[in-house]
Amino acid sequence: MSGWDAVNSPKSQPGSSSSRKTPARTVTLGRVQPQAPALRTIFCNDCDANMAHRYRGNSISTTKYNIFTFLPKGLYEQFRRVANLYFLMVSILSTTPYSPVNPVTNMVPLSLVLMFSLIKEAFEDWQRLQNDKAINNIPVDVLQEQGWETLQWKKLHVGDIIRVKQDEFFPADILLLASTNSDGVCYIESANLDGETNLKIRKALEKTWDYLTPEKACEFKGEVQCEQPNNSLYTFTGNLVIDNQTLPLSPNQILLRGCSLKNTDFIVGAVIFTGHETKVMMNSMNVPSKRSTLERKLDKLILALFCTLFSLCLVGAMGSGIFIDRKYFYLGLLENVEDQFNPNRRFMVIILTMLTLLTLYSTIIPISLYVSIETIKFIQSSQFINKDLNMYHAETNTPASARTSNLNEELGQVEYIFSDKTGTLTRNLMEFFKCSIGGEIYGAGMTEIERDISERKGIKVQEVQMSAGSVREKGFNFDDVRLIRGAWRNEPNHDVCKEFFRCIAICHTVLPEGNESPEKIKYQAASPDEAALVLAAKKFGFFFYRRTPTMIYVRESHVETMGKTQDVSYEILNVLEFNSTRKRQSVVCRYPDGRLVLYCKGADTVIYERLGIGNDDLNKVTRDHLEQFGSAGLRTLCLAYRDLAPGFYEGWNEKFIKAKSSLRDREKRLDEVAELKEKDLILIGATAIEDKLQEGVPSCIQTLSRAGIKIWVLTGDKMETAINIAYACNLLNNEMIQFIISSETDAIREVEERGEQAETALFIKEEVRKQLKQCLDEAQQYFCSPSGPKLGLVIDGKCLMCALDPSLRVMLLTLSLNCASVVCCRVSPLQKAQVTSLVKRGARKITLSIGDGANDVSMIQAAHIGIGISGLEGMQAVMASDFSIAQFRFLEDLLLMHGRWAYIRLCKVVMYFFYKNLAFSLTQFWFTFNTGFCGQRFYDDWFQSLYNVIFTALPVVFVGVLDKDISPSLSKKYPELYKEGVRHMFFKWRVVALWAFFAVYQSLVFFYFISATCSTSLDPSGKMFGLWDVSTMAYTCIVVTVNLRLLMMCNSITRWHCISVGGSILAWFLFIFLYSGITTPLDRNDNMYWVIYILMGTSYFYVTLLLVPVAALLVDFLYLSVQRWFFPYDYQIVQEMHKDDIQSTDPSELLESKQQLTPDEARCREISQLPKEVSRHSGFAFDSPGYESFFASQFGKYVPPKAWDVARRGSMRSKATPK
Amino acid sequence: MSSYTPSSSAGGVGSADSAAPRRNSKRPKYSKFTQQELPACKPILTPRWVISAFMLVSIVFIPIGVVSLLASRDVVEIIDRYETECVPQNFRNNRVSFIQSDANKTCTRRLTVTKHMKQPIYVYYQLDNFYQNHRRYVKSRSDSQLRDNSSWNDVSSCKPEDDSNGLPIVPCGLIAWSLFNDTYNFSLNNQQLAVNKREISWKSDRDHKFGNDVLPRNFQNGTLKGGKSLDPTVPLSQQEDLIVWMRTAALPTFRKLYGKIERDLQPNEVIHVTLENNYNTYSFNGKKKLVLSTTSWLGGKNDFLGIAYLTIGGLCFFLALSFTVVYLVKPRRLGDPSYLSWNRNPGGH
């Protein structure tokens, strides 16, 4: 317990003074101060009184723009891109006389690009607007003038009394006043909020139960004092002042917007928070958008291009300063010369020519690059990742989904995976497997992990046959003839057994649903563990079938009445709920015969601390059993009870009620009160629940580690459980050198027992430093040898916290980066994020986090790529993630196939853009040398502006979408190919330099081949070509060459490639035929008139059109041949190895491939065929959403960690209100 | 009842497909595109392909190269550089003042025909270091004025040669102003060789860019004469020298067609050229050449194309050969797993 505390709250850290201040504040705020600014006072049913506060309305708007801000704001967004801003600048510049080109040259591509982006933005925003409109216009019944009137959601105000009917959604955060159900209870479903589909109970205060009819409701005049709007979904503190009586309010009375009403005809409530102030809206914080590494590198490339551009311009400008001279009389430089050509002002000439050349060479910056990349990525994510059948999970009906298209190519470069354990690696399908009652272990069978361990030890495992009469159900995989079917009555310790079964039948917060018969009943539980326990109780003959706010009904089979059942009702006096600090749950119940018992279940550490004196033998034996269970990978819970004296209980209950009605720090005070009672417990036994591995996890992990990806498991579980899961998943094995850094050493325990936190922290830190140093020294000898054994590191949360200290961080990083796998156990959500950012920032490697629960949110957002497991638990992880998949094993497809392809494709696209623009612009540059550096354009304005957006735009998009080097099955067969992406093989400066070389070479060929031929007549009629004939010839060659070059870089050529490449070339010819053939009154284009027809009338045109592209592509082809012949890439060899494979495109192949499973997979698959429960939030694995404070601190705000801020379900507290 | 039949048969088809999506299923629909299974050819650049590609290029290119080179060699070209010789000895040191003076600039040159020249023989003048592609120069013209008489005073783009004494110049601008004005007269055996100056410009220029109702006005009236004057009675569409000149050259060294001699010339015939050396290239040290040339199907004498074809063809042939040798000596086994990086140095890198 104390260990957990130390990690979870910063209090134990010496020197963290900020948290120390919080208690002081609590003292002053303990009193109820209605006027305090931190409180909100709402006058129910009193419009005018609320007016003074000017609360926000209930209409919401999630749009980014409105009709007036769209253009300015949208354009502003667009011009935040450097390339766009540059083009804007150039466009403005090109309207000045210094420009050699028509403004059209730069305007057209810019406006096309802007238009494309703006239309996209507008479309997205339009959809958001429609969505908002639809939501704002939903009708709701509002109390007005003694009757229900139907208004739209947006017209709601704070303080209104409203009526919500069954299956309707709550329009705002509402205080529940009355319900048609008895006892003021209503049921809600919060799937929209947290994805949990089980029903939850909300219960109105007794005082308000009657305000159900409009007539009654009109009379309701209450004053709600509550906290200010905040984003914490599971807390609410407030008081209802009614008839001068102050009643405490809790989350139990609050109906949150986004939830819907179930199983209740209607409810009446008062609106508390509206619109953007509702908790669900406050929660939808804008996740900072992530940019991929490739894109950031791309920025550098663009920067390099800018530098190139400036140096080209500088060279040209200097040249012009030197060149300009009066001797060229034909330039008319004698009088009235403008500054740019004035030989007397050479400096001015240089400056102005610089501007001229900037506009002239602007094509060097690929303006359409970003738009093309966005289009490609959008198709990749929306068409390929979202629609991949291989990543569709049929059982949960969940396809993969890319929630952002920014990070596709980042998936191809991942080096570190941080994985949650529960629900991600394991199935979170809990099955009651074993138990220990009164020092005796019950339950046969072996867990997968045990089987794995014994296989490693070389012991042949005999499959244990289920005994003939075994009762198996999902959630119950228990087999022991001594206990089932009432056999426990013959056990020597049957009394303890009875307590055991009662404990698991009573001490829980499960809701039964459906028919009250053992076969048909369904249990709604917050955690699958609880459901499994209640189910087990049912199987043992303690069938819990009904719950009312104050009672639990159990159908028991007793020793005394053999074979007969008896319905027993237990009065539930208090429920002390589970949370991550308490790590236990207690119920106080009164037997029909008046016996008062406290039943408690919780983590072993917590329970053992609170056991009474005596019974040391039992405690020791049970502890051994717990360790056994732990090493088998089972999740354990200790059960204990305590008989309460009525007098003691009364006294305690008063304190409890007082604590419950306190407005501030209610949770903390409740904890303190609970602590008073949960002591001197008597141990009953322990339960062991199996947490099954997800399908295909071990083989997926193996494949991924062959791909050079290092996998870290971050879990809140115990070290033993974590290590065992790691073994079962192939993360650790016996060939590895393992380093274990644990805080569970005798020395540390000893210091801890002294209880001085500062000293303990210091001591642990010192210990960790020693251990780290020792491990590092040992590990160092393996670093150098490449064929040495792999290393593995296991570290627990407490040590990790110390190791994350700046002084030790470097050591930790060096050690862990050299480990093939790392297991961190007992870590808090915040630490998960810290570890992730340690690797992300410290090692500058690309990280991926995968998890399923709210406790993984921080980690998911901290990593480069966050992946949420969808289809099972709550939606929080998915909402925070960048990609969501249904199964861990789909990572294989996502990374090795989609990620790898996306990376390779985008690299190709980027390099191609770079090359084609450079090649084109350089021809212009070479021409400048032949024009006296004056900045005369070589090409026609339209040629230059359409080059990027028409004649070379489409094919590259097809390559970015369709290029495939090897088939998906091969990329999984050879996961090592993935390393090419990790090593940045396809986009590094060497590759850029190579492409730059091609571009320079080709531009030289284009310009000098053409200009060398045009010195003489090129027509049998002896006439000469002019400037525009020559440039059109050169341009034609460039368009043809650049498009053909694209074909050369394709790994696979579909008909779309051919169509787009052919189409682009054709488009050019079509354009030039029209452009030079037609004269319009507006723009006669005398320069270009008839040019192409003159050119095509000569044989020279055809001879050159064959020569130049071949000559230009010769070097590229030679490079490709030599590279492939002598220095082949890995993927090229794999291509060759499998070039004769028949490419089956039969969809049935998808199904067939499933048939060939490894034994491991087959086993997993078999298990997966079992009927499966939609598992829920795992309360017992310490899933606490502490991410809020983590992200608040990222944004510079300090939010004290809220220990109680965990997912809780509606449960009933009896006698909470004094009668 | 009949409506039942098709629906049931449709159901039959649906059930035959085992993967038929359930109702409400989020299973993505199968399509070759989304599953990235579009039929594609996957060319692999195997040694065979490399060698054959190089071979193919050499096979295609060498003959074309030979043909082009032969065509170029067929062309007979006589080039005479005259800008120095045509300046009298006593002006050699001060050629600019000579060209600007009113002295007699007539000069005679003798050209010896080396080979048989078939008619038509094209007469060119070639200028050097003359930046007809300079930005200030190129844009100093008014297309609308040239084309259409009604916009004769549209001289806004013609600075600094837009008007003379306040009157718009037609044709305005630097290009027209600097019109080349050397003239050549050829005689063979004291017999005048007629030079045909018709159809020396592109037909599209004559018909569309220069109007047949546009007459020169105020041309070369300024204090400084840039070049040739035009006959103010002849419309621009017939002033072919101007039309040729106005199609600005791409490079600072350029030829322009002067005229055509429409008779054959025999070897060793001597042509006397009487030329008026009027044009000032001396201030910027430009060369002037007189060129007589025949043409082939590929135009004038230009070995570049042929040589380029032959070079590339030869290079490819050589590459094909050397790749073949490498292939024979040390063949590269396709898809050899030992090439894979993780097999080359086990245990990572």
Side-chain angles (χ1 to χ4, degrees), chain A residues 239-278:
Chain A
N239 280 324
L240 177 67
V241 182
I242 180 167
D243 302 339
N244 295 326
Q245 230 180 341
T246 303
L247 306 172
L249 295 175
S250 74
N252 251 338
Q253 281 85 41
I254 302 303
L255 309 171
L256 296 182
R257 180 181 179 134
C259 301
S260 57
L261 187 68
K262 300 280 174 198
N263 294 348
T264 312
D265 287 344
F266 67 85
I267 59 109
V268 173
V271 176
I272 299 179
F273 300 135
T274 47
H276 286 278
E277 291 179 343
T278 55

Short mmCIF file of all heavy atoms in Angstrom, two decimals, chain A residues 239-278:
data_model
loop_
_atom_site.label_atom_id
_atom_site.label_comp_id
_atom_site.label_asym_id
_atom_site.label_seq_id
_atom_site.Cartn_x
_atom_site.Cartn_y
_atom_site.Cartn_z
N ASN A 239 -24.30 21.01 -2.99
CA ASN A 239 -25.37 20.88 -2.00
C ASN A 239 -26.65 21.42 -2.61
O ASN A 239 -26.61 22.34 -3.43
CB ASN A 239 -25.04 21.69 -0.75
CG ASN A 239 -24.07 20.93 0.12
OD1 ASN A 239 -24.12 19.71 0.22
ND2 ASN A 239 -23.17 21.67 0.73
N LEU A 240 -27.72 20.83 -2.20
CA LEU A 240 -29.02 21.34 -2.59
C LEU A 240 -29.63 21.98 -1.35
O LEU A 240 -29.81 21.31 -0.33
CB LEU A 240 -29.90 20.21 -3.12
CG LEU A 240 -31.31 20.61 -3.50
CD1 LEU A 240 -31.31 21.53 -4.70
CD2 LEU A 240 -32.13 19.36 -3.82
N VAL A 241 -29.92 23.26 -1.45
CA VAL A 241 -30.57 23.93 -0.31
C VAL A 241 -32.05 24.03 -0.62
O VAL A 241 -32.44 24.65 -1.61
CB VAL A 241 -29.97 25.32 -0.09
CG1 VAL A 241 -30.62 25.97 1.13
CG2 VAL A 241 -28.48 25.22 0.10
N ILE A 242 -32.83 23.35 0.16
CA ILE A 242 -34.26 23.34 -0.09
C ILE A 242 -34.97 23.43 1.26
O ILE A 242 -34.65 22.70 2.18
CB ILE A 242 -34.66 22.09 -0.90
CG1 ILE A 242 -36.15 22.06 -1.16
CG2 ILE A 242 -34.20 20.82 -0.24
CD1 ILE A 242 -36.53 21.02 -2.20
N ASP A 243 -35.89 24.35 1.35
CA ASP A 243 -36.60 24.59 2.60
C ASP A 243 -35.65 24.77 3.76
O ASP A 243 -35.78 24.15 4.81
CB ASP A 243 -37.56 23.41 2.92
CG ASP A 243 -38.54 23.23 1.79
OD1 ASP A 243 -38.75 24.19 1.01
OD2 ASP A 243 -39.10 22.12 1.67
N ASN A 244 -34.61 25.55 3.54
CA ASN A 244 -33.60 25.84 4.55
C ASN A 244 -32.86 24.59 5.03
O ASN A 244 -32.26 24.57 6.08
CB ASN A 244 -34.22 26.53 5.76
CG ASN A 244 -34.75 27.88 5.36
OD1 ASN A 244 -34.18 28.54 4.49
ND2 ASN A 244 -35.86 28.29 5.96
N GLN A 245 -32.93 23.55 4.25
CA GLN A 245 -32.22 22.32 4.59
C GLN A 245 -31.10 22.14 3.58
O GLN A 245 -31.31 22.34 2.38
CB GLN A 245 -33.20 21.16 4.48
CG GLN A 245 -33.22 20.28 5.69
CD GLN A 245 -34.20 19.16 5.51
OE1 GLN A 245 -35.10 19.22 4.67
NE2 GLN A 245 -34.06 18.15 6.32
N THR A 246 -29.92 21.79 4.04
CA THR A 246 -28.82 21.59 3.09
C THR A 246 -28.60 20.10 2.91
O THR A 246 -28.32 19.38 3.87
CB THR A 246 -27.55 22.25 3.61
OG1 THR A 246 -27.82 23.62 3.84
CG2 THR A 246 -26.42 22.12 2.62
N LEU A 247 -28.75 19.66 1.66
CA LEU A 247 -28.57 18.24 1.38
C LEU A 247 -27.34 18.06 0.49
O LEU A 247 -27.17 18.82 -0.46
CB LEU A 247 -29.80 17.70 0.66
CG LEU A 247 -31.15 17.94 1.35
CD1 LEU A 247 -32.29 17.54 0.43
CD2 LEU A 247 -31.22 17.18 2.66
N PRO A 248 -26.51 17.11 0.82
CA PRO A 248 -25.31 16.92 -0.01
C PRO A 248 -25.67 16.26 -1.35
O PRO A 248 -26.54 15.40 -1.41
CB PRO A 248 -24.45 16.01 0.84
CG PRO A 248 -25.40 15.25 1.68
CD PRO A 248 -26.58 16.16 1.93
N LEU A 249 -25.00 16.70 -2.36
CA LEU A 249 -25.18 16.09 -3.69
C LEU A 249 -23.90 15.35 -4.06
O LEU A 249 -22.80 15.78 -3.73
CB LEU A 249 -25.46 17.17 -4.74
CG LEU A 249 -26.76 17.95 -4.57
CD1 LEU A 249 -26.82 19.05 -5.60
CD2 LEU A 249 -27.94 17.02 -4.72
N SER A 250 -24.06 14.27 -4.76
CA SER A 250 -22.89 13.50 -5.20
C SER A 250 -23.07 13.18 -6.69
O SER A 250 -24.12 13.48 -7.26
CB SER A 250 -22.80 12.23 -4.38
OG SER A 250 -23.80 11.34 -4.80
N PRO A 251 -22.10 12.57 -7.30
CA PRO A 251 -22.27 12.20 -8.72
C PRO A 251 -23.50 11.34 -8.94
O PRO A 251 -23.98 11.22 -10.07
CB PRO A 251 -20.99 11.43 -9.04
CG PRO A 251 -20.01 11.89 -8.05
CD PRO A 251 -20.77 12.26 -6.82
N ASN A 252 -23.98 10.75 -7.88
CA ASN A 252 -25.14 9.87 -7.99
C ASN A 252 -26.39 10.58 -8.42
O ASN A 252 -27.33 9.95 -8.89
CB ASN A 252 -25.39 9.26 -6.62
CG ASN A 252 -25.03 7.81 -6.63
OD1 ASN A 252 -24.99 7.21 -7.69
ND2 ASN A 252 -24.75 7.27 -5.48
N GLN A 253 -26.44 11.89 -8.23
CA GLN A 253 -27.65 12.62 -8.59
C GLN A 253 -27.48 13.35 -9.93
O GLN A 253 -28.36 14.06 -10.36
CB GLN A 253 -27.99 13.65 -7.50
CG GLN A 253 -28.67 13.06 -6.28
CD GLN A 253 -27.67 12.51 -5.28
OE1 GLN A 253 -26.64 13.11 -5.04
NE2 GLN A 253 -27.96 11.34 -4.74
N ILE A 254 -26.31 13.20 -10.52
CA ILE A 254 -26.03 14.01 -11.70
C ILE A 254 -26.16 13.15 -12.95
O ILE A 254 -25.62 12.04 -13.03
CB ILE A 254 -24.61 14.60 -11.61
CG1 ILE A 254 -24.46 15.42 -10.35
CG2 ILE A 254 -24.31 15.44 -12.83
CD1 ILE A 254 -25.46 16.56 -10.22
N LEU A 255 -26.91 13.66 -13.91
CA LEU A 255 -27.04 12.98 -15.20
C LEU A 255 -26.25 13.81 -16.21
O LEU A 255 -26.56 14.98 -16.43
CB LEU A 255 -28.51 12.93 -15.61
CG LEU A 255 -29.44 12.37 -14.52
CD1 LEU A 255 -30.89 12.56 -14.92
CD2 LEU A 255 -29.15 10.91 -14.29
N LEU A 256 -25.26 13.21 -16.78
CA LEU A 256 -24.36 13.96 -17.64
C LEU A 256 -24.86 14.00 -19.07
O LEU A 256 -25.43 13.02 -19.57
CB LEU A 256 -22.97 13.35 -17.61
CG LEU A 256 -22.27 13.39 -16.25
CD1 LEU A 256 -20.89 12.80 -16.36
CD2 LEU A 256 -22.19 14.81 -15.74
N ARG A 257 -24.63 15.10 -19.71
CA ARG A 257 -24.91 15.21 -21.13
C ARG A 257 -24.12 14.13 -21.84
O ARG A 257 -22.98 13.85 -21.50
CB ARG A 257 -24.45 16.58 -21.63
CG ARG A 257 -24.71 16.78 -23.11
CD ARG A 257 -24.23 18.13 -23.56
NE ARG A 257 -24.48 18.26 -24.99
CZ ARG A 257 -25.01 19.34 -25.55
NH1 ARG A 257 -25.33 20.37 -24.82
NH2 ARG A 257 -25.21 19.39 -26.85
N GLY A 258 -24.75 13.54 -22.83
CA GLY A 258 -24.07 12.48 -23.56
C GLY A 258 -24.57 11.11 -23.15
O GLY A 258 -24.46 10.15 -23.88
N CYS A 259 -25.13 11.01 -21.92
CA CYS A 259 -25.69 9.74 -21.50
C CYS A 259 -27.15 9.68 -21.95
O CYS A 259 -27.72 10.70 -22.34
CB CYS A 259 -25.64 9.60 -19.99
SG CYS A 259 -23.99 9.71 -19.33
N SER A 260 -27.69 8.49 -21.90
CA SER A 260 -29.11 8.38 -22.27
C SER A 260 -29.87 7.64 -21.18
O SER A 260 -29.29 6.87 -20.42
CB SER A 260 -29.25 7.67 -23.61
OG SER A 260 -28.65 6.40 -23.55
N LEU A 261 -31.12 7.88 -21.15
CA LEU A 261 -31.97 7.31 -20.09
C LEU A 261 -32.47 5.94 -20.53
O LEU A 261 -32.94 5.76 -21.64
CB LEU A 261 -33.16 8.26 -19.84
CG LEU A 261 -34.04 7.91 -18.66
CD1 LEU A 261 -33.29 8.10 -17.36
CD2 LEU A 261 -35.31 8.76 -18.67
N LYS A 262 -32.38 4.99 -19.64
CA LYS A 262 -32.84 3.64 -19.97
C LYS A 262 -33.74 3.11 -18.87
O LYS A 262 -33.60 3.51 -17.70
CB LYS A 262 -31.63 2.70 -20.09
CG LYS A 262 -30.64 3.09 -21.15
CD LYS A 262 -31.10 2.66 -22.52
CE LYS A 262 -30.16 3.21 -23.57
NZ LYS A 262 -30.71 3.23 -24.90
N ASN A 263 -34.59 2.20 -19.26
CA ASN A 263 -35.42 1.47 -18.30
C ASN A 263 -36.20 2.38 -17.36
O ASN A 263 -36.49 1.99 -16.24
CB ASN A 263 -34.57 0.52 -17.45
CG ASN A 263 -33.97 -0.57 -18.28
OD1 ASN A 263 -34.36 -0.76 -19.43
ND2 ASN A 263 -33.04 -1.29 -17.73
N THR A 264 -36.48 3.59 -17.76
CA THR A 264 -37.20 4.53 -16.91
C THR A 264 -38.12 5.30 -17.83
O THR A 264 -37.70 5.71 -18.90
CB THR A 264 -36.22 5.52 -16.25
OG1 THR A 264 -35.13 4.79 -15.71
CG2 THR A 264 -36.89 6.32 -15.18
N ASP A 265 -39.36 5.50 -17.43
CA ASP A 265 -40.30 6.18 -18.33
C ASP A 265 -39.87 7.62 -18.57
O ASP A 265 -39.74 8.04 -19.70
CB ASP A 265 -41.70 6.15 -17.73
CG ASP A 265 -42.30 4.76 -17.82
OD1 ASP A 265 -41.73 3.96 -18.62
OD2 ASP A 265 -43.26 4.45 -17.13
N PHE A 266 -39.69 8.34 -17.49
CA PHE A 266 -39.08 9.66 -17.66
C PHE A 266 -38.55 10.13 -16.32
O PHE A 266 -38.89 9.58 -15.26
CB PHE A 266 -40.05 10.66 -18.29
CG PHE A 266 -41.24 11.04 -17.45
CD1 PHE A 266 -41.15 12.06 -16.50
CD2 PHE A 266 -42.46 10.39 -17.62
CE1 PHE A 266 -42.23 12.40 -15.72
CE2 PHE A 266 -43.56 10.74 -16.85
CZ PHE A 266 -43.45 11.75 -15.89
N ILE A 267 -37.72 11.14 -16.40
CA ILE A 267 -37.20 11.72 -15.19
C ILE A 267 -37.41 13.23 -15.26
O ILE A 267 -37.59 13.79 -16.34
CB ILE A 267 -35.70 11.42 -14.97
CG1 ILE A 267 -34.88 11.95 -16.14
CG2 ILE A 267 -35.43 9.96 -14.76
CD1 ILE A 267 -34.05 13.12 -15.87
N VAL A 268 -37.38 13.86 -14.12
CA VAL A 268 -37.43 15.31 -14.07
C VAL A 268 -36.15 15.78 -13.41
O VAL A 268 -35.69 15.17 -12.43
CB VAL A 268 -38.66 15.78 -13.26
CG1 VAL A 268 -38.62 17.29 -13.06
CG2 VAL A 268 -39.93 15.36 -13.96
N GLY A 269 -35.59 16.80 -13.97
CA GLY A 269 -34.32 17.26 -13.41
C GLY A 269 -34.14 18.74 -13.61
O GLY A 269 -34.87 19.38 -14.37
N ALA A 270 -33.14 19.27 -12.94
CA ALA A 270 -32.82 20.69 -13.06
C ALA A 270 -31.48 20.83 -13.77
O ALA A 270 -30.54 20.10 -13.48
CB ALA A 270 -32.74 21.33 -11.69
N VAL A 271 -31.44 21.76 -14.68
CA VAL A 271 -30.22 21.93 -15.48
C VAL A 271 -29.16 22.63 -14.64
O VAL A 271 -29.43 23.67 -14.02
CB VAL A 271 -30.53 22.75 -16.74
CG1 VAL A 271 -29.26 23.01 -17.52
CG2 VAL A 271 -31.55 22.03 -17.60
N ILE A 272 -27.98 22.09 -14.61
CA ILE A 272 -26.89 22.67 -13.82
C ILE A 272 -25.80 23.28 -14.71
O ILE A 272 -25.45 24.44 -14.57
CB ILE A 272 -26.26 21.61 -12.90
CG1 ILE A 272 -27.30 21.07 -11.94
CG2 ILE A 272 -25.13 22.24 -12.11
CD1 ILE A 272 -26.77 20.00 -11.05
N PHE A 273 -25.30 22.47 -15.59
CA PHE A 273 -24.27 22.97 -16.51
C PHE A 273 -24.82 22.85 -17.93
O PHE A 273 -25.41 21.84 -18.29
CB PHE A 273 -22.98 22.16 -16.43
CG PHE A 273 -22.35 22.17 -15.06
CD1 PHE A 273 -21.87 20.99 -14.51
CD2 PHE A 273 -22.22 23.34 -14.35
CE1 PHE A 273 -21.30 20.99 -13.26
CE2 PHE A 273 -21.64 23.34 -13.09
CZ PHE A 273 -21.18 22.17 -12.54
N THR A 274 -24.58 23.86 -18.73
CA THR A 274 -25.13 23.84 -20.08
C THR A 274 -24.02 23.97 -21.12
O THR A 274 -22.93 24.45 -20.84
CB THR A 274 -26.09 25.03 -20.28
OG1 THR A 274 -25.44 26.18 -19.78
CG2 THR A 274 -27.40 24.82 -19.58
N GLY A 275 -24.38 23.55 -22.30
CA GLY A 275 -23.53 23.78 -23.48
C GLY A 275 -22.09 23.39 -23.29
O GLY A 275 -21.76 22.27 -22.90
N HIS A 276 -21.24 24.37 -23.53
CA HIS A 276 -19.80 24.07 -23.47
C HIS A 276 -19.31 23.86 -22.05
O HIS A 276 -18.17 23.50 -21.85
CB HIS A 276 -19.02 25.19 -24.15
CG HIS A 276 -19.14 25.15 -25.62
ND1 HIS A 276 -18.39 24.32 -26.41
CD2 HIS A 276 -19.96 25.81 -26.47
CE1 HIS A 276 -18.72 24.48 -27.67
NE2 HIS A 276 -19.68 25.39 -27.74
N GLU A 277 -20.19 24.13 -21.08
CA GLU A 277 -19.75 23.95 -19.70
C GLU A 277 -20.07 22.57 -19.16
O GLU A 277 -19.74 22.25 -18.04
CB GLU A 277 -20.37 25.03 -18.81
CG GLU A 277 -19.80 26.39 -19.12
CD GLU A 277 -20.40 27.50 -18.28
OE1 GLU A 277 -21.47 27.29 -17.69
OE2 GLU A 277 -19.78 28.56 -18.22
N THR A 278 -20.74 21.75 -19.98
CA THR A 278 -21.02 20.41 -19.51
C THR A 278 -19.72 19.62 -19.46
O THR A 278 -18.74 19.94 -20.13
CB THR A 278 -21.99 19.69 -20.46
OG1 THR A 278 -21.44 19.74 -21.77
CG2 THR A 278 -23.34 20.35 -20.47
#
